[in-house]
Amino acid sequence: MVTLLLDQTQLEIVLSPLERAASFHRDNLRIVRETITKVQLTDDAWTWLRGVPNPGTHIPGILAAGTWKAAGSTDFVLIRKRRPSVVIDLTGDEQYRRLILTTRHGLALTQALRLEVSQEPADVEEIVSTGSIPTKQPRRPVIRPRPA
């Protein structure tokens, strides 16, 4: 699974050597943080797949990796089996319109994007564990004494 690093300016998707070979990518992906418009969690990333691999690897139901081209859009895909994934929509990125990644850190990514982060890249899991996430406090029920 990919490792997600985040700093103030960019999201870096660190690919393992096997993922690089399957996706025909030599380097990690670096996405400018301002281009991220929407992050969605999904249990079935295969439903988000559109277009054909160009270049990429596709073994239906097992692996989809690489650049996927469809009419008017280019996506980067790294899907493994039926595992939890994240779909990241981009606006204004030079290469891609969407990223579809199998990762168990999708929830941490959505939370880390809301936080102020340092200038040094850090794993999204570490950011979430050290940062304070704004959460809504649950309302306590009002307990009133019974009338006598």
Side-chain angles (χ1 to χ4, degrees):
M1 291 197 194
V2 297
T3 301
L4 304 172
L5 302 177
L6 184 68
D7 66 15
Q8 289 179 346
T9 59
Q10 70 181 4
L11 169 67
E12 184 174 356
I13 299 156
V14 180
L15 303 173
S16 70
L18 183 62
E19 292 165 341
R20 288 179 189 192
S23 65
F24 296 92
H25 251 266
R26 290 185 178 178
D27 298 322
N28 296 333
L29 273 78
R30 289 176 180 82
I31 305 298
V32 177
R33 192 171 173 173
E34 294 174 352
T35 63
I36 299 173
T37 56
K38 190 185 334 180
V39 179
Q40 301 175 70
L41 304 177
T42 182
D43 287 332
D44 188 8
W46 294 96
T47 60
W48 291 89
L49 198 59
R50 59 186 180 187
V52 294
N54 186 18
T57 303
H58 187 215
I59 304 169
I62 297 173
L63 177 70
T67 302
W68 248 246
K69 292 194 178 186
S73 72
T74 304
D75 302 342
F76 180 80
V77 175
L78 190 51
I79 304 172
R80 290 185 178 176
K81 299 186 180 178
R82 303 234 181 253
R83 295 184 179 160
S85 301
V86 64
V87 179
I88 304 169
D89 289 326
L90 307 171
T91 301
D93 187 70
E94 296 174 2
Q95 268 189 303
Y96 300 111
R97 300 253 333 249
R98 180 182 288 168
L99 308 174
I100 307 170
L101 309 167
T102 297
T103 179
R104 62 178 171 259
H105 304 300
L107 181 59
L109 174 64
T110 59
Q111 294 171 339
L113 285 170
R114 295 180 187 164
L115 298 173
E116 293 296 322
V117 295
S118 69
Q119 292 184 358
E120 294 298 318
D123 191 306
V124 293
E125 285 288 311
E126 292 174 16
I127 293 171
V128 171
S129 65
T130 59
S132 60
I133 301 168
T135 57
K136 200 175 191 181
Q137 295 293 329
R139 291 182 48 165
R140 300 181 118 206
V142 177
I143 301 173
R144 297 191 173 122
R146 292 185 178 181

